[in-house]
Amino acid sequence: MLDPRLFRTDIELVKQQLARRAFDFDAAAYEALEGRRKEIQVRTQELQNERNTRSKSIGQAKAKGEDIQPLLDQVQHLGDELKAAEGELAEIQAQMTTILEGIPNFLDDAVPAGKSDEDNVEISRWGDAPEFAFEPKDHVELGEGLKGMDFELGAKIASARFVVLKGQLASLQRAIIQLMLDTHINEHGYDETYVPFMANADSLRGTGQLPKFEEDLFKVNNDPTFYLIPTAEVPVTNIVRDMIVDAKDMPLKFVSHTPCFRSEAGAYGSDVRGMIRQHQFEKVELVQIVKAEDSPKAHEELTHHAENILKKLKLPYRKVLLCSGDTGFSSSKTYDLEVWLPGQQKYREISSCSNFRDFQARRLQARWRNPETGKPELVHTLNGSGLAAGRTLIAVLENYQNEDGSVTVPEALRPYLGGKEVLK
């Protein structure tokens, strides 16, 4: 959530920033609501003061033995007015909160203008796309040929967009996840975290998925209501909800491996084939909680950590800076890492690394105490996939395939597979 004070003190800045996102913000309606809020708040305070003064007078009159009934009647009338004013004030504040919860984050100055992913800016490339002396297969053909990827069975057990991995492909995905965790913990200094795979509404509201993106979530209609997590970002970032972190503990760096559940509402063309866009998938998530002045550097660092996994696996990829029209609701700046997939002959996203600044922290009331001032300040939150395990599995299969349908195991994964060099 953006700082509500900006809407009172610098509405022009708000309009300019939201215009960068082509966000339709009715500034006049909001200002009218703010004007009414001020008016009702002043009236409420006046009524509270008057009631307190009258109540004091009643006490004094009672002590003198005077008839206090007329005074009681006046206080009752004031109480009714105050109750009505407080009710109206609460309703206006709720409306304003709803509006604020639906407004996206301000974009970093470095974010380029654009409408879609076609306007994203490539920052760098690493590695060369493999050249094959044969027509490369996609991961669906390779997985079925290795008798380890069964979409029909996934559909029978659950529905379309689920898969069952068996045998050596299940082991390969586990090895990929283990490599990621070991690298981020032992080389990058993250603390491994095991978290719930369901979250309550407060947690999802804190990280920005609710209320705007509820249709993208799987809802568990219990009492209370839970949601299956769309990413470990939700439970891990909520570790610091309603907390004041000690300065000596900053920065906080968490890594967590979880399943992720997404309804994937809408049509995605060719993405419905295979494992590119599933209702359930595995991911290793990186989360950092830092001081405001450290978040730009932390963003570069976190992205570099995700890139290291691709380099260890020797998978060609590119890094792109998302444009204004493609940057997520809560993010101020996002880098996407896109891995080369020979089966599609194009780069596909395998990680998004974002700096949210204090947007999530304000919703979460996540703060740290500045020892110089002794006052709490909002933290900055960042996260990124380090990496999406299913898409990494796809990239390994397609980039390391052989003409006979076998797949060479990347050297970095062999220790996790008992030294196995080829999947046949």
Side-chain angles (χ1 to χ4, degrees):
M1 182 184 294
L2 296 171
D3 188 345
R5 290 175 297 182
L6 284 173
F7 292 78
R8 298 193 293 268
T9 62
D10 201 345
I11 195 71
E12 287 304 315
L13 173 65
V14 173
K15 289 160 63 175
Q16 291 168 12
Q17 288 290 333
L18 295 181
R20 293 185 62 197
R21 284 185 177 265
F23 181 81
D24 186 15
F25 173 58
D26 191 340
Y30 187 89
E31 287 181 299
L33 201 58
E34 170 63 16
R36 182 59 180 160
R37 182 198 65 79
K38 288 180 180 177
E39 181 183 323
I40 296 298
Q41 188 162 15
V42 168
R43 178 58 179 156
T44 300
Q45 290 170 345
E46 289 174 347
L47 288 168
Q48 288 172 337
N49 292 335
E50 189 174 353
R51 183 187 62 177
N52 293 339
T53 299
R54 296 284 180 93
S55 295
K56 188 175 180 180
S57 299
I58 291 172
Q60 293 171 342
K62 189 174 182 180
K64 295 177 182 178
E66 298 175 356
D67 181 10
I68 61 171
Q69 188 58 48
L71 295 174
L72 289 173
D73 292 340
Q74 292 174 351
V75 171
Q76 177 63 44
H77 175 67
L78 283 173
D80 292 341
E81 280 192 63
L82 178 59
K83 186 177 180 180
E86 288 174 337
E88 185 175 357
L89 181 61
E91 183 178 341
I92 291 172
Q93 289 173 330
Q95 290 179 41
M96 296 177 78
T97 297
T98 298
I99 292 171
L100 289 173
E101 286 182 340
I103 294 175
N105 199 0
F106 287 173
L107 296 171
D108 188 277
D109 291 341
V111 173
K115 296 182 179 179
S116 69
D117 57 0
E118 295 181 358
D119 300 312
N120 293 340
V121 176
E122 182 175 310
I123 303 298
S124 62
R125 292 194 183 200
W126 185 91
D128 297 319
E131 296 182 3
F132 300 100
F134 56 91
E135 185 69 27
K137 300 180 177 68
D138 71 3
H139 69 280
V140 177
E141 295 177 89
L142 291 164
E144 292 175 347
L146 293 168
K147 302 186 186 307
M149 191 178 290
D150 196 325
F151 295 97
E152 289 185 6
L153 185 54
K156 183 180 82 169
I157 295 170
S159 75
R161 297 198 193 179
F162 286 90
V163 66
V164 173
L165 296 179
K166 297 181 286 188
Q168 55 191 346
L169 289 197
S171 297
L172 179 61
Q173 177 165 275
R174 176 167 50 83
I176 288 169
I177 291 166
Q178 193 63 56
L179 171 69
M180 293 175 187
L181 288 172
D182 285 350
T183 300
H184 295 314
I185 295 165
N186 299 326
E187 298 180 23
H188 300 151
Y190 288 81
D191 290 327
E192 185 172 8
T193 310
Y194 176 82
V195 291
F197 301 161
M198 293 194 295
N200 57 36
D202 286 343
S203 295
L204 286 146
R205 189 172 291 107
T207 46
Q209 281 78 16
L210 287 179
K212 189 174 179 63
F213 302 104
E214 185 168 12
E215 68 172 12
D216 296 329
L217 304 170
F218 281 112
K219 188 174 184 179
V220 182
N221 289 313
N222 263 13
D223 186 17
T225 297
F226 294 104
Y227 297 85
L228 299 180
I229 60 170
T231 165
E233 166 199 344
V234 176
V236 176
T237 309
N238 269 272
I239 288 173
V240 295
R241 173 156 56 98
D242 296 325
M243 274 183 61
I244 300 178
V245 181
D246 197 305
K248 66 180 175 56
D249 296 326
M250 298 283 279
L252 298 175
K253 296 168 65 175
F254 301 112
V255 60
S256 186
H257 159 235
T258 68
C260 305
F261 305 92
R262 300 185 185 179
S263 69
E264 297 292 3
Y268 292 95
S270 61
D271 281 359
V272 299
R273 173 178 166 81
M275 288 180 61
I276 290 290
R277 200 172 290 276
Q278 294 271 284
H279 288 311
Q280 174 186 314
F281 59 95
E282 304 285 303
K283 189 150 66 80
V284 171
E285 189 77 2
L286 306 175
V287 172
Q288 291 199 27
I289 311 296
V290 305
K291 301 172 187 176
E293 63 266 26
D294 296 333
S295 69
K297 180 180 177 182
H299 189 203
E300 301 297 326
E301 176 191 75
L302 185 147
T303 305
H304 178 66
H305 293 159
E307 290 180 79
N308 275 350
I309 302 298
L310 292 166
K311 290 177 179 178
K312 279 179 177 277
L313 294 171
K314 298 180 180 178
L315 292 171
Y317 72 92
R318 67 174 189 162
K319 179 169 78 172
V320 299
L321 175 59
L322 300 196
C323 71
S324 57
D326 201 31
T327 301
F329 175 82
S330 299
S331 176
S332 69
K333 182 181 179 182
T334 297
Y335 291 119
D336 269 8
L337 303 181
E338 299 178 348
V339 68
W340 176 255
L341 296 184
Q344 295 190 19
Q345 287 292 297
K346 64 169 135 179
Y347 289 97
R348 295 303 305 264
E349 177 200 332
I350 198 168
S351 173
S352 277
C353 301
S354 299
N355 185 355
F356 301 96
R357 295 183 176 173
D358 61 8
F359 188 83
Q360 291 180 326
R362 185 169 286 103
R363 290 170 174 249
L364 295 163
Q365 279 303 288
R367 295 162 291 171
W368 71 286
R369 190 173 300 282
N370 189 328
E372 295 181 3
T373 64
K375 296 180 179 179
E377 299 178 8
L378 290 171
V379 301
H380 278 202
T381 62
L382 306 96
N383 70 53
S385 307
L387 306 159
R391 292 196 179 188
T392 306
L393 173 69
I394 291 170
V396 168
L397 292 177
E398 294 193 9
N399 282 278
Y400 282 87
Q401 65 180 292
N402 302 307
E403 189 168 8
D404 63 358
S406 65
V407 174
T408 301
V409 177
E411 290 183 12
L413 294 176
R414 292 176 188 177
Y416 299 98
L417 293 169
K420 183 178 288 188
E421 297 182 3
V422 181
L423 306 181
K424 297 182 180 180

